[in-house]
Amino acid sequence: ANESGVIIVDQLRKFFREHNNQLFGIKLKTIKMTGKWSDWQAFIKRYKGKRKAIWIVNPWNINDENGKEVDLREIGKFYLKNSRLPSLAIASVNQQLGFLSSFAVSSEDLAFQAAEIGLDILKRGKKPQEIKFSDNSTVRFVINKRRAKQLGYQIPIQLLEFAKIERQIPMKYVR
């Protein structure tokens, strides 16, 4: 497990604890953190069809028995072949790998925020040291329509009402 994964999982645990281990009807049952490919594979196979959903925090920094990082495409292929569970994730690359849904920060949204900071400096006369640090203000919820259909789910109209439809998302992410 990498450092960002540890932070995210700690936040997830705290959030669910504050809500009696349940939120929107989702109950938190198990948290598994690993950086080992064999553990990751065993976990996916073990929970195949036995749980209602799985949330995969970040599938990178998963290493094989020789310590070599497993390619994300290999992880995606394994997941699609061995899991019938809907999966949630926090990076758009997960949706591209075939996971059901993810929350993602887009480069367009980050660029817009950077432009606002640039305008503060160039047009409004603020000094860089006067600009306060700010978190990202926008997150996108991405649903993989192909995976939803594969799992037999119909995407609720409430989600489609605010969705941005993307017809094709090429896989270009390579670490």
Side-chain angles (χ1 to χ4, degrees):
N2 62 37
E3 288 180 40
S4 63
V6 171
I7 291 167
I8 293 165
V9 167
D10 286 346
Q11 290 172 346
L12 176 72
R13 279 187 178 120
K14 181 181 177 198
F15 188 78
F16 269 88
R17 255 194 316 267
E18 290 170 356
H19 294 88
N20 296 321
N21 276 348
Q22 184 169 323
L23 186 64
F24 304 120
I26 298 171
K27 291 180 181 179
L28 179 63
K29 296 249 181 186
T30 304
I31 293 177
K32 173 71 174 168
M33 291 187 65
T34 185
K36 292 173 63 179
W37 179 227
S38 57
D39 290 350
W40 204 93
Q41 290 171 307
F43 183 79
I44 295 298
K45 285 182 177 180
R46 182 171 48 244
Y47 289 102
K48 183 177 180 177
K50 294 182 182 176
R51 299 288 187 259
K52 294 184 179 180
I54 186 169
W55 182 14
I56 298 171
V57 175
N58 45 4
W60 46 85
N61 299 112
I62 304 295
N63 299 317
D64 65 17
E65 64 277 353
N66 299 316
K68 183 178 179 227
E69 188 171 355
V70 179
D71 188 281
L72 287 173
R73 290 168 287 210
E74 183 178 347
I75 292 171
K77 286 177 189 172
F78 177 86
Y79 179 78
L80 287 174
K81 180 180 177 188
N82 292 284
S83 179
R84 298 297 302 159
L85 296 173
S87 54
L88 308 172
I90 60 167
S92 59
V93 69
N94 294 332
Q95 185 264 342
Q96 294 171 24
L97 290 171
F99 298 173
L100 178 63
S101 61
S102 65
F103 291 97
V105 176
S106 78
S107 56
E108 294 90 1
D109 296 334
L110 292 176
F112 181 79
Q113 282 185 257
E116 284 291 320
I117 292 170
L119 287 172
D120 281 345
I121 294 168
L122 298 172
K123 288 202 165 221
R124 299 176 191 119
K126 283 190 177 181
K127 295 179 181 173
Q129 60 269 27
E130 295 172 343
I131 297 173
K132 293 181 181 176
F133 175 81
S134 64
D135 289 329
N136 181 46
S137 60
T138 306
V139 66
R140 296 174 188 229
F141 181 59
V142 182
I143 299 174
N144 184 331
K145 184 178 174 185
R146 183 181 305 149
R147 182 67 170 160
K149 184 177 180 180
Q150 190 180 49
L151 292 171
Y153 293 116
Q154 185 169 349
I155 300 169
I157 192 70
Q158 298 91 333
L159 292 177
L160 292 175
E161 287 175 350
F162 70 90
K164 176 183 174 191
I165 306 299
E166 305 231 12
R167 298 269 180 238
Q168 185 178 12
I169 301 173
M171 178 62 169
K172 292 185 179 178
Y173 182 83
V174 179
R175 288 185 56 138

